[in-house]
Amino acid sequence: KNEVEQSPQNLTAQEGEFITINCSYSVGISALHWLQQHPGGGIVSLFMLSSGKKKHGRLIATINIQEKHSSLHITASHPRDSAVYICAVRIGNQFYFGTGTSLTVIP
Amino acid sequence: KAGVTQTPRYLIKTRGQQVTLSCSPISGHRSVSWYQQTPGQGLQFLFEYFSETQRNKGNFPGRFSGRQFSNSRSEMNVSTLELGDSALYLCASSEGPGGSGNTIYFGEGSWLTVV
């Protein structure tokens, strides 16, 4: 049983397209993180959400606590957005991670 | 401000050996957490330290251990290495305990290969 489910697993988009990545979790959480991992391993925390919506540049993250669902949107996608995006939640004293969405943006 | 620094970046060990990985958090950060990433299992939480105390531990055997020093630097140790321990080990730091409203900052990771 996975506490965190992410979709899609893989995503290919043309430059300029609007992209949505989804994350669902099974129980109540204290916070949800969206992470970005580029080839080579380094991870960057994009957003931390406990409610509502956050925006940073072309990235938007939303969370619906009642439905236990979060989305990460990328507007006007660019090849440099190509990376793996990972959803992470804290349930109790544990962190749980989605399997990641591998995004490729083609010029 | 320097980011989270992990050493070594790459290492190769033999089955049965032990390994120690080091993590220096961002200055002022008192919380350090460790994660294992493998192609098969993805990212998994190992443990979290805050002010030299282990606050949480993931579902890993006792061969995996860690500690945090008074300057917030942390080390993790894996004893009796197995082939399945080959992974990217990531460290992250935050001002306060993770999940309590603090952004977490990751290091570049230590790539461990067990042969």
Side-chain angles (χ1 to χ4, degrees):
Chain A
K1 172 182 169 294
N2 293 326
E3 287 77 11
V4 185
E5 298 280 354
Q6 245 185 276
S7 64
Q9 253 190 311
N10 297 285
L11 184 54
T12 301
Q14 292 289 331
E15 184 174 357
E17 282 186 10
F18 180 85
I19 288 162
T20 296
I21 300 170
N22 296 299
C23 175
S24 297
Y25 49 93
S26 55
V27 297
I29 63 172
S30 54
L32 181 145
H33 299 256
W34 280 103
L35 311 174
Q36 180 193 55
Q37 186 173 31
H38 282 283
I43 293 179
V44 174
S45 177
L46 298 173
F47 295 103
M48 182 186 57
L49 296 159
S50 54
S51 64
K53 176 180 172 177
K54 287 189 176 180
K55 184 176 188 293
H56 186 255
R58 296 179 295 105
L59 302 178
I60 303 167
T62 64
I63 188 168
N64 185 317
I65 299 295
Q66 286 74 28
E67 295 187 4
K68 297 185 175 58
H69 181 268
S70 176
S71 293
L72 175 68
H73 306 286
I74 305 176
T75 62
S77 59
H78 189 277
R80 65 174 173 266
D81 297 327
S82 298
V84 176
Y85 293 84
I86 303 167
C87 169
V89 301
R90 185 163 179 124
I91 299 173
N93 291 328
Q94 297 284 323
F95 271 107
Y96 296 92
F97 297 87
T99 52
T101 296
S102 179
L103 171 65
T104 302
V105 181
I106 300 170
Chain B
K1 210 185 226 188
V4 179
T5 305
Q6 290 188 246
T7 56
R9 288 294 320 279
Y10 304 93
L11 66 167
I12 300 173
K13 290 285 188 178
T14 304
R15 268 184 304 175
Q17 287 187 313
Q18 67 93 28
V19 66
T20 299
L21 308 177
S22 179
C23 174
S24 293
I26 291 172
S27 178
H29 285 192
R30 295 163 61 195
S31 176
V32 172
S33 50
W34 288 90
Y35 307 86
Q36 182 198 63
Q37 187 176 36
T38 60
Q41 298 294 321
L43 265 169
Q44 294 182 280
F45 170 71
L46 277 160
F47 22 66
E48 178 188 25
Y49 289 88
F50 180 75
S51 294
E52 301 179 67
T53 301
Q54 185 180 89
R55 295 186 75 244
N56 304 300
K57 191 175 194 301
N59 297 322
F60 279 82
R63 299 186 296 108
F64 292 79
S65 63
R67 57 179 176 168
Q68 186 180 32
F69 302 96
S70 58
N71 61 359
S72 293
R73 191 177 70 84
S74 177
E75 289 181 346
M76 68 160 282
N77 184 79
V78 187
S79 63
T80 320
L81 283 165
E82 301 175 0
L83 295 179
D85 298 332
S86 296
L88 174 65
Y89 290 88
L90 289 153
C91 164
S93 76
S94 60
E95 291 182 9
S100 57
N102 295 284
T103 299
I104 50 178
Y105 299 85
F106 286 84
E108 293 293 313
S110 293
W111 290 92
L112 170 65
T113 301
V114 181
V115 297

